Amino acid sequence: MTTTIRPCPTWRRGVLCAAVLTCALPGLAWVQKYPDKPIRLVVPFAAGGGTDILARDVAPRLGDALGQSVVVDNRGGAGGNIGSDLVAKAPADGYTLLFGSNTLSINASLYRNLPFDPVRSFAPVGMVATAPMVLVTAADGPLTSVRALVAEAKARPGTMNWSTPGNGTPHHLAEELFNKMTGANLTHVQYKGGGPAINDLLGRHTQASVLTLASVKSFIDAGRLRAIAVATPHRSALLPDVPTVAEAGVPGYKAELWYGLFAPAGTPASVVDRLNQALAKVLTDPQVAKRFRDQGFEARSGTPDELRELLADDLARSGKLIRDAGIQAD
């Protein structure tokens, strides 16, 4: 008996091909439908701070790039841990994101028994920006350079103070690193936020501070604070004439405050890639870059792997500094 093999009708071939593609490329279907509802962007700090300002700049533009609204949700408390934990425990579907910073790496060593892991609990999406930190003194005071600050601190041990926005903040760690590398040993005086820290610096109750350019730019421009060095490893385009701390006499010094976007661990790679592409589109917009600069930030895009490496590097560096300086959470 001879068996005749008949060609498959065109419509059947089409159905078969569609079935094969559906089985072989489940990620394609996911990315085609994502996002199909609003996205929540959790800011783990109160409204009005630097993290919140950046997030509210990015959210509507990210929404435009994704075709869905992105809603900022402030969940402050416990140094950023409450909001971070909320995202760590959210469904890994790309609809709850964390607008994080290097407080993630700092808190890993500062707090005991965190309810989440800063590495394993999140899927990095990409960098957003850096906030250059600046070593500032009162403009009408005698401390006009890094060398002058170190010399005065060593000549008058125990009499000079740093002001910071809070214990265990990136600003505090930047000052402790300066103490460690120079032997200046200024005393840490913490305040509840950047505003009070700046006020006491202006009043000469404290002698120096490392603060974000975003928070002190107006005082520098008005001639009330003097920027004697930037804490970044390279000169900032926002203060091109101000040397780095390393250039000014402390080789190897660097301290950065960065911001990045994170999703819960387990979020599909296709969704992370979609978010990263949309974020890159936002950050390469010249108008966004200018708006960031005007507020004292520098736009900085990057891949998920680059953000993962940055977080790991920060975990190691900040952990050692916190242990060496004996810093503990309040």
Side-chain angles (χ1 to χ4, degrees), residues 249-269:
V250 192
Y253 180 94
K254 69 172 183 175
E256 287 190 284
L257 177 52
W258 54 260
Y259 302 89
L261 199 64
F262 296 83
T267 299

Side-chain angles (χ1 to χ4, degrees), residues 137-144 201-202 204 219-220 222-227:
T137 60
D140 58 354
L143 304 174
T144 59
L201 183 59
L202 290 169
R204 307 276 291 275
F219 297 98
I220 294 171
R224 300 185 66 194
L225 288 178
R226 176 185 291 119

Side-chain angles (χ1 to χ4, degrees), residues 1-24:
M1 179 178 178
T2 303
T3 301
T4 303
I5 301 176
R6 300 178 184 277
C8 180
T10 301
W11 68 270
R12 288 183 178 174
R13 288 202 300 271
V15 170
L16 179 62
C17 290
V20 170
L21 283 172
T22 300
C23 294

Side-chain angles (χ1 to χ4, degrees), residues 113-168:
N113 302 318
L114 277 182
F116 60 88
D117 185 289
V119 174
R120 288 191 282 269
S121 296
F122 301 101
V125 172
M127 283 286 296
V128 175
T130 57
M133 291 195 286
V134 189
L135 176 53
V136 288
T137 60
D140 58 354
L143 304 174
T144 59
S145 68
V146 168
R147 294 184 189 279
L149 174 61
V150 173
E152 186 73 5
K154 289 182 175 180
R156 299 168 49 207
T159 65
M160 297 181 65
N161 301 317
W162 294 111
S163 56
T164 71
N167 184 55

Side-chain angles (χ1 to χ4, degrees), residues 134 213 220-221 227 230 235-243 298:
V134 189
L213 179 57
I220 294 171
D221 292 343
V230 291
R235 290 198 183 198
S236 171
L238 305 175
L239 288 175
D241 297 327
V242 178
E298 294 181 357

